[in-house]
Amino acid sequence: MRRFSSKEQRVDGEATLVERCMNPWNKRCSSTDIALYIMFNGKRLPICWKCWKEISSKNIEWKYD
């Protein structure tokens, strides 16, 4: 199943785009509280605050090709 970063949502009869977290390590997260974007496998992914706190606290090395 493919997840999209944006979804149309109706608010007071108006259609608005809602962006959701696309954390590649936590595919169950669908938070709309976006903190930042990361590049992952050539794609720009929105990451929510909760997931970013988890990602940034890990001892991992980031690289850019």
Side-chain angles (χ1 to χ4, degrees):
M1 182 168 130
R2 184 170 178 207
R3 295 186 317 151
F4 294 93
S5 63
S6 299
K7 184 177 181 180
E8 191 172 296
Q9 180 177 1
R10 296 247 173 226
V11 178
D12 294 329
E14 296 288 321
T16 57
L17 288 178
V18 176
E19 196 163 44
R20 301 202 178 272
C21 182
M22 293 186 67
N23 181 351
W25 301 283
N26 179 5
K27 299 194 185 302
R28 287 178 272 153
C29 183
S30 61
S31 174
T32 58
D33 189 18
I34 304 303
L36 51 83
Y37 297 83
I38 62 169
M39 291 299 292
F40 185 79
N41 290 335
K43 295 179 183 174
R44 181 177 168 251
L45 303 178
I47 304 296
C48 73
W49 283 103
K50 181 180 179 196
C51 287
W52 178 242
K53 286 177 185 175
E54 291 175 17
I55 293 168
S56 64
S57 68
K58 293 181 180 174
N59 186 18
I60 56 174
E61 182 176 329
W62 294 86
K63 66 179 183 174
Y64 180 76
D65 292 328

